Amino acid sequence: MRRRISGTTATTAVLGLLVPLAGCGGSGDGAGDAGTLHLVAAEYGDSPATSSKPYWEKMAADFTEANPGIKLDVKLLPWADIDREVSRMVKAGKAPDVALMGSYSDFAAQGKLYPADELLSVTAEANFLQPLADAGSVGNTLYGLPFVASSRLLFYNEALFAKAGIKEPPKTWSDLKSDAKALKDKGVKYPYALPLGPEEAHAEALIWELSNGGGYADSSGNYSLASDQNIATWDWVKKEMVGAGFTGPTPPSQLNRADAFAAFLRGEVGMVNGYPSLAHEARAKGISVSTTSMPVSDNLGTGVPPPTVGVADWMMAFKQNGKRAEIGKFLEFIYQDKNLSDFADRYHLLPSTVTASRTPTGGGLDKNDTQFLNALRGAQLYPVNDPSWLTVSDTIKRNIGRAVEPTGSPKAVLEDIAGQATQAAKKH
């Protein structure tokens, strides 16, 4: 989701992995024969060994066995291409029947999608975790069906903390700065890794802004990208973290999330915001790691609930080919606890439904993932239900890193982003 988040992509989708095109079926564009459902899905793997292809091949076979006469054709696309390619297919009149990707609201705004209540039973629709259902809704209508999700927590390397004499994780920005200084004094390369490169900067940015009472949208749902709180956040980060040398040798605007994670797995990072799969990878490499909520600004104080960012990826059903009944059968099938959990477990993500998260049928959750699920329940997601979000998130990703550059002005950068967001919103 790009994240989502998330988003994994999150969103952006959660993982944002780029791989060559792979397909589980033979067709390309979506219209096609009446007995076949066409699904275009993001590829979550980063190698043949981790590809989503085996999962979808099994689901296709199992679905046809359970629903004779309906075949499932799956086309996998890299995260870098899927938004653009699905948009092209829809515009050309060749929409897939179903898509799994990081954004849905642009298609909902165009009237291209079936609402969930025309596809799912009442029980199935009510089974989605509430923050995800809210983010998948435009008005009170659910169009983006959350599939897998993640939340973000602050990871810290226990061995590096012990070496630096840090007894407990930070709770405030002052604590964070103090811990980063202690880590730097002990020679840690990245005391706090700050990935504001274009891969997924909008996730890191939202985490910081929420921790000072800001964020991407106000209580009415309108963009508030250049709010006083957000400007104050980046003034502090620029001066107290980046300017003080606590974010490592790579300029944050050039540090991508994947690079920050890789450095963490090499034992070069004291602290970094991450999601469940990073915890599994770290432990597999013998790195002792703990997680905590993002520290809040000293202005907010520790009495304020710590902010959490959530990211999700979305299933959406297109009206274009008129296969509502067949799509409904597929969605009821794929959202069965075991089928959903099998995919989530494969990538150490969180299933999007209540029952798959907690029941033995769904496999339950790894105990290390439970903390991320708890965080997700109260998380704030990107404003993915705004049709302009895809454009706005890309603007944030490619520009927010400039706010902490030596010659950068947080106020000017945020106002520039806000101006571009306003223009994007007008187009929708």
Side-chain angles (χ1 to χ4, degrees):
M1 69 225 42
R2 261 185 129 44
R3 316 297 188 313
R4 284 132 69 195
I5 73 183
S6 222
T8 350
T9 93
T11 94
T12 136
V14 174
L15 298 179
L17 301 170
L18 309 182
V19 298
L21 175 66
C24 304
S27 105
D29 290 346
D33 48 316
T36 301
L37 279 178
H38 297 280
L39 167 67
V40 175
E43 168 61 271
Y44 283 68
D46 62 356
S47 70
T50 61
S51 173
S52 307
K53 185 177 179 180
Y55 171 85
W56 288 116
E57 287 178 333
K58 184 177 189 304
M59 289 301 104
D62 291 352
F63 174 68
T64 298
E65 183 179 354
N67 297 273
I70 308 176
K71 295 182 179 179
L72 179 66
D73 174 90
V74 183
K75 181 178 182 179
L76 297 179
L77 292 174
W79 278 111
D81 298 338
I82 190 166
D83 288 342
R84 181 176 63 252
E85 179 64 11
V86 172
S87 294
R88 182 198 65 77
M89 293 169 69
V90 172
K91 189 174 182 179
K94 297 180 179 180
D97 299 303
V98 187
L100 170 59
M101 50 196 282
S103 60
Y104 72 89
S105 56
D106 193 12
F107 301 121
Q110 297 174 46
K112 303 288 188 181
L113 302 180
Y114 287 112
D117 60 8
E118 293 184 17
L119 301 165
L120 297 174
S121 67
V122 173
T123 302
E125 186 177 357
N127 195 24
F128 293 116
L129 293 167
Q130 195 59 49
L132 303 181
D134 290 344
S137 299
V138 177
N140 294 317
T141 302
L142 181 65
Y143 289 100
L145 279 58
F147 190 61
V148 286
S150 71
S151 59
R152 304 299 165 92
L153 293 171
L154 182 68
F155 284 64
Y156 59 95
N157 184 310
E158 293 178 351
L160 295 181
F161 263 45
K163 181 180 177 182
I166 303 170
K167 304 297 185 185
E168 59 183 14
K171 293 183 175 60
T172 66
W173 285 2
S174 290
D175 296 339
L176 183 72
K177 179 184 175 182
S178 176
D179 292 347
K181 182 180 185 305
L183 290 163
K184 183 182 180 183
D185 289 346
K186 290 297 182 180
V188 175
K189 188 172 182 179
Y190 294 89
Y192 177 91
L194 182 66
L196 296 180
E199 180 190 358
E200 206 184 29
H202 60 312
E204 183 73 13
L206 182 56
I207 292 168
W208 275 98
E209 291 175 5
L210 290 175
S211 68
N212 193 33
Y216 289 156
D218 60 24
S219 58
S220 300
N222 299 312
Y223 287 123
S224 56
L225 298 165
S227 66
D228 290 343
Q229 295 102 314
N230 290 351
I231 293 170
T233 294
W234 294 110
D235 280 336
W236 190 91
V237 173
K238 179 186 176 184
K239 178 183 176 183
E240 305 296 340
M241 295 297 292
V242 181
F246 297 150
T247 55
T250 305
S253 62
Q254 299 175 28
L255 183 67
N256 278 319
R257 186 264 308 155
D259 300 325
F261 281 12
F264 187 84
L265 295 173
R266 293 193 300 268
E268 298 173 354
V269 174
M271 297 175 281
V272 66
N273 281 303
Y275 44 70
S277 61
L278 180 61
H280 290 270
E281 293 177 39
R283 292 186 179 103
K285 289 183 175 292
I287 296 174
S288 298
V289 58
S290 289
T291 58
T292 189
S293 300
M294 178 67 183
V296 296
S297 73
D298 296 77
N299 292 332
L300 292 185
T302 54
V304 175
T308 306
V309 169
V311 183
D313 296 329
W314 311 96
M315 282 278 189
M316 62 213 73
F318 288 90
K319 295 179 179 179
Q320 196 170 91
N321 304 316
K323 299 179 184 175
R324 183 184 65 81
E326 295 89 342
I327 294 170
K329 289 181 179 179
F330 166 70
L331 293 174
E332 290 278 356
F333 173 81
I334 205 66
Y335 279 101
Q336 291 175 16
D337 287 347
K338 185 178 188 310
N339 294 337
L340 180 59
S341 293
D342 282 351
F343 189 89
D345 291 348
R346 184 178 184 88
Y347 298 104
H348 298 299
L349 297 170
L350 303 174
S352 61
T353 64
V354 174
T355 54
S357 299
R358 71 184 183 194
T359 66
T361 303
L365 281 181
D366 182 291
K367 64 180 181 180
N368 296 317
D369 292 343
T370 302
Q371 59 193 327
F372 290 93
L373 177 64
N374 291 336
L376 182 64
R377 296 184 195 282
Q380 181 165 330
L381 280 77
Y382 305 132
V384 290
N385 44 16
D386 189 309
S388 65
W389 171 244
L390 192 61
T391 300
V392 173
S393 64
D394 188 66
T395 301
I396 295 169
K397 285 188 290 186
R398 299 185 184 283
N399 290 279
I400 192 64
R402 296 191 292 116
V404 298
E405 291 177 348
T407 59
S409 163
K411 185 174 188 293
V413 170
L414 289 174
E415 288 178 346
D416 178 45
I417 292 171
Q420 293 187 57
T422 298
Q423 293 302 313
K426 286 179 180 179
K427 294 179 181 179
H428 294 275

